[in-house]
Amino acid sequence: MMSREKLENNQVFLYVIVLLIAASVGLLAPRIGMQLDVTISFVIAILMYSMFSQIPFTSLKESFSNRRFIWALLTVNYMAVPIVVWLLARLLPEHPPLLLGVYLVLLTPCIDYVIVFTALGRGNEKAMLISTPILFITQMLLLPLYLWLFIGNEAAKIVEVAPFLEAFFGLIVIPLVIAITLQLFAKRSQVGNKLIHLSAWLPVPFMALTLFVVVASQIGKLSTSFEWIIKVIPIYIAFMIMMPFISKFIGKSFKLDIESGRALIFSGSTRNSLVVLPLALSLPDHINTLVAAIIVTQTIVEIIGEIIYIRVVPNLLK
């Protein structure tokens, strides 16, 4: 019988298989892929709830107990990463939708499967889990600031506020509020506690379902954006090569232990593609296909990179 622990330990292989099946469906049966388009928001909303329900928001005070790790985490994700992303973006054409897609996906640190990859890479997954509320709150606050700094008025021209806010509230804020409310309820009620435990089964299957729906529905559109996609793939690869070494240096500067240093490497290198994808899809019709394609491409590159990471990172920090 499949246990939750066994499911979580094998989720990376599940995601790879799902990506291959999704790509096959999207390319060989494009009509089916296109029909999946309408399910993306619904599936991602459930995925967001399932992930948020496992983030210990009610233990936010505990997040600050390991201050050295938290400061290192914030330094990597909000000082080092923006500098690296800005420098890498200088190698791209000055095409606002292209840059918006790259900035959206690379400026937001992952808060979900990074915990699993950290565990597989022999890092401190507990420290990573406890820090996720801080990472989520800070990225939502700082992302608009970075977009304004890097793209300026061009961002305002291509981002329509109403649909953007609608996607943000519908797919992030509402699942977040439900998850926090349920966590508070679980502290006082046996029923709430059972619901939280039941929700713990959801992230892996819904991550797999989300990857399937997103890739199957969007991969057919990649061909229309191919000239841009081949320009961003080297950027994503360069990012995944550079960040482990930068994170290792910052971890040593903060005198982190080996497991926390590995966790820092995974956090600095793993991005939040599935959270920002709904925001991309809410953009005006003439650019949302390109921005979504840029984000989906990063997801595919990252999954391959993470499989390499879980072998390399333990040797990078011994």
Side-chain angles (χ1 to χ4, degrees), residues 5-132:
E5 185 180 0
K6 192 173 181 181
L7 181 65
E8 290 175 349
N9 287 340
N10 291 285
Q11 63 184 294
V12 177
F13 305 104
L14 174 64
Y15 298 155
V16 171
I17 293 168
V18 166
L19 282 173
L20 293 173
I21 295 171
S24 301
V25 170
L27 294 172
L28 301 177
R31 189 173 295 178
I32 296 174
M34 288 173 65
Q35 290 173 347
L36 291 171
D37 235 346
V38 295
T39 66
I40 291 177
S41 295
F42 177 71
V43 172
I44 288 181
I46 298 177
L47 174 66
M48 291 297 102
Y49 158 74
S50 69
M51 293 190 307
F52 292 152
S53 67
Q54 305 312 303
I55 295 175
F57 288 104
T58 54
S59 305
L60 194 57
K61 186 186 280 188
E62 189 184 342
S63 301
F64 293 97
S65 59
N66 191 350
R67 292 182 183 178
R68 191 180 295 172
F69 178 71
I70 292 300
W71 281 116
L73 203 65
L74 296 176
T75 301
V76 165
N77 282 298
Y78 302 122
M79 292 181 68
V81 167
I83 292 170
V84 170
V85 171
W86 185 83
L87 290 172
L88 288 174
R90 299 307 93 205
L91 304 174
L92 292 170
E94 285 291 328
H95 185 53
L98 172 73
L99 294 174
L100 179 61
V102 170
Y103 288 142
L104 273 174
V105 72
L106 290 186
L107 291 171
T108 48
C110 184
I111 56 168
D112 38 76
Y113 59 52
V114 65
I115 299 161
V116 178
F117 287 122
T118 300
L120 292 172
R122 290 190 275 166
N124 189 342
E125 76 272 19
K126 185 181 177 185
M128 198 68 252
L129 173 66
I130 292 172
S131 66
T132 47

Side-chain angles (χ1 to χ4, degrees), residues 184-245:
L184 293 170
F185 180 54
K187 285 196 166 187
R188 303 187 184 92
S189 164
Q190 194 78 19
V191 175
N193 206 28
K194 285 181 179 178
L195 286 172
I196 287 289
H197 282 294
L198 186 63
S199 299
W201 280 86
L202 298 179
V204 175
F206 270 91
M207 178 70 79
L209 181 59
T210 302
L211 287 171
F212 176 81
V213 168
V214 168
V215 173
S217 64
Q218 302 299 314
I219 198 165
K221 301 174 184 178
L222 297 188
S223 58
T224 61
S225 309
F226 188 71
E227 63 175 303
W228 301 113
I229 286 170
I230 58 173
K231 296 181 191 305
V232 298
I233 288 175
I235 299 299
Y236 293 151
I237 294 172
F239 180 84
M240 294 204 76
I241 291 171
M242 293 169 66
M243 283 312 304
F245 296 100

Side-chain angles (χ1 to χ4, degrees), residues 244-314:
F245 296 100
I246 294 170
S247 300
K248 177 183 177 181
F249 173 76
I250 292 173
K252 284 191 172 183
S253 301
F254 280 89
K255 298 179 180 176
L256 299 183
D257 60 77
I258 291 171
E259 286 75 19
S260 296
R262 290 172 181 160
L264 189 68
I265 288 173
F266 277 98
S267 180
S269 309
T270 313
R271 304 291 88 193
N272 214 356
S273 55
L274 293 178
V275 171
V276 296
L277 182 63
L279 304 181
L281 294 172
S282 72
L283 294 168
D285 290 340
H286 65 284
I287 64 162
N288 66 12
T289 299
L290 172 58
V291 178
I294 297 300
I295 292 171
V296 170
T297 301
Q298 192 276 337
T299 304
I300 296 169
V301 172
E302 184 173 85
I303 291 287
I304 297 168
E306 295 291 339
I307 294 170
I308 297 169
Y309 272 9
I310 59 179
R311 302 282 184 183
V312 172
V313 171

